[in-house]
Amino acid sequence: MSKDIRIKKGLDIRLVGEAEKTISEGPRSRTITIRPSDFHLVTPKMVLKEGATLQAGDEIFYSKSQEEIKFLSPVAGTITEIKRGARRVITDIVIEADYNGLQRDFGILPVNATADETKERLLEGGVWPFIKQRPYDVIAKPTVTPKAIFISGLNTGPLAADLDFVLSGKTAELQAAVSALAKLTDGGVHVSIASSASLFSGLSDVTTYTVKGPHPAGNVGTLINKTSPINKGETVWTVAAQDLVIIGELLLTGKFNAQRIISVSGSGIKAPKYYRTMIGAEVSTFAYDAGVEGDNNRFISGNVLTGNKVSPEGALGFYATEFVAIPEGDDYEFFGWNKPVFDKISPSRALTFSWMQPKKKYDLDTNTNGEHRAFVVTGNYEEVFPLDIYPMQILKACMVEDLDEMEALGMYEVAPEDFALTEFICVSKQPHQEIIRKGLDVMYKEIG
Amino acid sequence: MGMKESLHKLKMKYEGKKMAPAFNALHTFLYAPNETTHSGGHIRAVDDLKRTMNTVIIALIPCLIFGIFNAGYQHYYAVAEVAGTAAEYKVTSFFDTNFWNWDNFAIGAWTVLPLVVVSYGVGLLVEFIFAVIKGHEVEEGYLVTGMLVPLIVPIDIPLWMLAVAVVFGVVIGKEVFGGTGMNILNPALTIRAFLFFAYPTWMSGDKVWVHQAVEMAGQPDAISGETILGSYAQNSAVVYDYWDMFLGFIPGSVGETSKVLIVFGAAFLIFTKIASWRIIVSAIVGALVMGLVFNGVVDAGWIDNSSKFYGLMSVPFWQHLLIGSILFGAVYMATDPVTGSQTNKGKWIYGFLIGFISIMIRVFNPAYPEGVFLAILLMNVFAPTIDHYVVQGNVKKRMKRLKLKTA
């Protein structure tokens, strides 16, 4: 049975360049890149060396601190390059793809497999990294049994991929995945959905919640906070809806299929639409196929509020289900701070007029629209922050690394993405998500 | 090469140099900077601190303009009173030409504009010096403070006193705490408090509110400049009617007299979502409640008209809003987000206590019948405590949840 959650606080950011609902096949990516930096706090220990040939599904590296968490190759081919950054940290593992190569078969997991067998398969099959945990918003610890598992079945962010469209036809995979996950917790699998038309509402082994309201209604953090907020000592797991398909496919076919349907959108894209591609694919394969406007764009692997900047030669991130191109805003604007503004979004009405056109779609660029300052304005974050947490106070606690205060204010419950909207509207242009991420890292290090 | 390119080249040239913050301040005044996002969100809303401060300044401009004309009007009206021709000078409507005329403007421009110039000149100079010494950007806080200061001082305050007070206020009230966003006390009120305690003869009494009243004191043509609060405090008759008080044709600090324009400014600030409506509403409610309590005391016959408090206690509670600067304080001072309460619940408590204590001080302070600035400064100090208890409520909820789980 579906329960209702209605949130009032939030902000829908409407941007031009929404993806048209057609799926295209871009040119196949010549290389696939895996970036260990996508896996926060994971120190990679390489299994294969440069020049090694591999099958799709072969282990490339594992987590040094939790060796059972393995990272597999999405494709068959040859590791052509292992790029390293400062202090020899591995930044990119580049695999030249051989699409006719072999694929490892992990075998079909029986429906009646035990929790341990299921866990074992998820770890072996390379899909464990898709399971994240809170507190700390990192890859889940396999040794911990979570209080419950939470999945967001709706996207509410700007230019969000339409989940119903992306997941259509994948009911079997979704069912296999949620049924398997349900075995790993006593608290059940909880899914937020937009309406009863969602694919999830027909699945068994899940509890669904119909969530209404502006963004971040679709954030999994909102679902957790409204249904079962995390207390000290508790752990919950979260999985992105599209990653369930990869998990389900592993269980049903025995193969790690890293294929993804991503939305390619933004005002920097000429023909925004959906693409069938792979984890780690070169962004040029779909970006230039869809056409790019002008030559000064920000390419983002992920969405505009939480994604990562990638170069035109870069690759799609491990978790990215969206790709966005928006104009860079690296230009000065005459009297930009005091003239009336009609073409940008503002939560206030201080000679800004987006409140008059709530349905209008905006072409925002990457300009910060102001300089970094100390926190000055108060009370505005609360208008877009639906969680029962004091956003400014928790940010300040993180900045001064006051662990007791962070814990008391609800740090176990949050992930950086929960602060994307407060960061968006921040008058002082503070990097909220970065502050929260650093705060979580300090807590992880000190409390663990 | 256009100005944009020239400024950009200069910016590059001065990058990392000592004077870079000062140069950047001028540059970003003319042009919104070309900074782009790096991590986290790739897009940002349009509001920045400059726009926020600018909106408050816009809301203050009607008060400033009115203050300029009122300076002249109060002067000429007082002179006319001495000459016995006050009836002709009496303003009868908001658009009366006895008020909006060049003579009044000339006096206002001669007295008020220098206050504005000194306030901004000295204040920004101190800000620039601190920015250069500490190597941080020139912050926008003083944009509003600089406009507030001339509006909350008596008209004839000597400029050197103002300059000294501004230096004190900016350095001790703000910069020692780390600059905009870090200060505990409202800088504009710190400046006013400094003036009040350092130069009391220029800040209170019945002569400082009308141009040249001090200079002409003791002469045969001496003019009276008593404020309504002063009259009430001395239990003497008030010569202004409610309409005068509401429209602002009364003596007082430069920008505080016109309640209608303050209400207009408040509406603008609330509409633009720049000021907290919670603080404004609760401060007004607090003032009304305290006024009602005092009215109750008078009605109950606990004091009679021989009491020195009788005058102000018997003022009808709602009339407290029309006299003195409670409204100006509630709208433009109490709403300072840095020094006020930061939580929404806290804002209700904070505002209410400001209104409540303002009227209490107004009635009980024998030396100076206005308490708003003291009430706000007092509550500035208590704001973090209020927030602490509000936030603890949230923390306790979390602890309770945990106990339920582990019980």
Side-chain angles (χ1 to χ4, degrees), chain B residues 286-360:
Chain B
L288 292 177
V289 168
M290 189 76 255
L292 268 172
V293 170
F294 284 134
N295 284 177
V297 168
V298 171
D299 290 346
W302 290 343
I303 64 163
D304 58 30
N305 54 12
S306 65
S307 164
K308 62 180 176 182
F309 301 128
Y310 182 81
L312 277 164
M313 273 198 186
S314 60
V315 171
F317 70 97
W318 53 270
Q319 205 188 319
H320 276 295
L321 298 179
L322 295 183
I323 55 182
S325 45
I326 175 74
L327 218 50
F328 189 88
V331 173
Y332 296 109
M333 300 291 197
T335 51
D336 172 11
V338 174
T339 55
S341 241
Q342 302 189 345
T343 55
N344 284 343
K345 254 186 220 163
K347 283 176 173 148
W348 284 110
I349 302 166
Y350 170 81
F352 182 86
L353 288 174
I354 284 177
F356 195 81
I357 296 170
S358 292
I359 303 303
M360 192 190 291

Side-chain angles (χ1 to χ4, degrees), chain A residues 60-73:
Chain A
I60 311 173
F61 62 89
Y62 59 85
S63 167
K64 215 170 179 176
S65 55
Q66 295 174 92
E67 295 186 3
E68 61 272 45
I69 302 177
K70 293 165 181 170
F71 300 85
L72 311 186
S73 172

Side-chain angles (χ1 to χ4, degrees), chain A residues 120-344:
Chain A
E120 182 68 20
R121 174 57 51 86
L122 298 180
L123 286 160
E124 280 297 315
V127 294
W128 194 267
F130 292 125
I131 305 172
K132 289 201 173 175
Q133 69 160 52
R134 291 189 192 200
Y136 309 126
D137 193 38
V138 290
I139 294 173
K141 270 189 187 165
T143 48
V144 174
T145 304
K147 175 171 85 157
I149 297 174
F150 294 89
I151 294 158
S152 169
L154 73 156
N155 272 340
T156 49
L159 296 173
D162 183 337
L163 272 183
D164 290 337
F165 176 69
V166 172
L167 299 177
S168 64
K170 298 288 182 188
T171 314
E173 286 84 351
L174 291 176
Q175 184 63 68
V178 294
S179 295
L181 289 170
K183 293 176 188 169
L184 305 183
T185 173
D186 299 327
V189 176
H190 305 266
V191 186
S192 57
I193 54 172
S195 71
S196 56
S198 164
L199 273 180
F200 285 98
S201 63
L203 301 186
S204 54
D205 295 325
V206 294
T207 310
T208 54
Y209 301 84
T210 309
V211 186
K212 297 253 184 289
H215 184 63
N219 276 9
V220 72
T222 308
L223 173 68
I224 299 171
N225 189 269
K226 296 293 169 197
T227 58
S228 175
I230 306 160
N231 298 302
K232 186 182 180 183
E234 291 176 344
T235 301
V236 304
W237 288 355
T238 65
V239 187
Q242 280 142 291
D243 296 340
L244 289 173
V245 175
I246 300 178
I247 295 175
E249 199 156 340
L250 171 77
L251 302 171
L252 293 174
T253 66
K255 297 196 173 131
F256 174 56
N257 184 359
Q259 206 175 64
R260 275 205 194 285
I261 293 170
I262 61 157
S263 67
V264 176
S265 59
S267 62
I269 298 288
K270 278 183 184 157
K273 56 192 164 195
Y274 290 78
Y275 274 85
R276 198 186 311 277
T277 182
M278 288 197 95
I279 285 172
E282 295 163 12
V283 298
S284 56
T285 55
F286 44 82
Y288 293 103
D289 187 71
V292 175
E293 298 274 4
D295 54 1
N296 191 22
N297 285 297
R298 166 82 53 99
F299 284 177
I300 302 158
S301 162
N303 73 40
V304 284
L305 289 181
T306 60
N308 294 314
K309 181 179 174 178
V310 283
S311 72
E313 300 81 38
L316 199 64
F318 190 81
Y319 294 104
T321 56
E322 294 170 28
F323 173 83
V324 187
I326 54 171
E328 283 285 7
D330 52 349
D331 197 8
Y332 300 92
E333 193 179 353
F334 188 61
F335 274 139
W337 60 280
N338 65 359
K339 66 181 183 188
V341 178
F342 295 90
D343 58 351
K344 290 178 180 175

